[in-house]
Amino acid sequence: MAIRKYSGGKLSQKAMIKQIMKRCSSLGKKNGGGGYDDEGLPVDVPKGHFVVYVGENRTRYIVPISILNMPEFLNLLRRAEEEFGFDHDMGLTIPCDEEIFQSLTSMLKM
């Protein structure tokens, strides 16, 4: 699933969030097998949260959906789109050092 852009070349924040969440929830269906429920969602991710992969080692973090309202996190998503795009099977990967991501998320009081 590719992120669609409006004629102005920029995706609205609401549209970007909807497409990201749809992409995140469909990853389990593609991967199949252990660790996923009947709907293809990871069993270790609580309702109202989603998974991101951060840093060179692609460390897995579970973050609340509420973080999508924060401009700092949206900037990271834009960087992820520029660097990786969202049409791949690697999960939502954030191009950021883990220490910076941890610092940012702790400041955002998720």
Side-chain angles (χ1 to χ4, degrees), residues 67-104:
I67 198 171
L68 293 170
N69 293 324
M70 301 174 182
E72 298 87 352
F73 190 77
L74 291 175
N75 285 334
L76 287 176
L77 291 179
R78 286 187 188 94
R79 286 182 52 201
E81 180 184 21
E82 290 171 7
E83 189 164 327
F84 304 112
F86 292 119
D87 191 22
H88 57 77
D89 292 329
M90 297 185 330
L92 182 55
T93 304
I94 304 292
C96 178
D97 288 333
E98 286 183 60
E99 295 81 23
I100 294 171
F101 182 80
Q102 290 171 353
S103 175
L104 174 66

Side-chain angles (χ1 to χ4, degrees), residues 22-107:
K22 187 174 181 181
R23 173 76 177 147
C24 289
S25 66
S26 68
L27 286 175
K29 295 175 188 172
K30 289 182 181 179
N31 294 335
Y36 295 94
D37 66 13
D38 293 340
E39 297 176 9
L41 300 174
V43 294
D44 66 333
V45 178
K47 189 171 186 151
H49 292 73
F50 64 102
V51 174
V52 296
Y53 298 92
V54 179
E56 287 184 23
N57 296 326
R58 296 190 71 245
T59 303
R60 185 175 189 255
Y61 289 88
I62 298 172
V63 295
I65 289 174
S66 61
I67 198 171
L68 293 170
N69 293 324
M70 301 174 182
E72 298 87 352
F73 190 77
L74 291 175
N75 285 334
L76 287 176
L77 291 179
R78 286 187 188 94
R79 286 182 52 201
E81 180 184 21
E82 290 171 7
E83 189 164 327
F84 304 112
F86 292 119
D87 191 22
H88 57 77
D89 292 329
M90 297 185 330
L92 182 55
T93 304
I94 304 292
C96 178
D97 288 333
E98 286 183 60
E99 295 81 23
I100 294 171
F101 182 80
Q102 290 171 353
S103 175
L104 174 66
T105 54
S106 68
M107 288 188 312

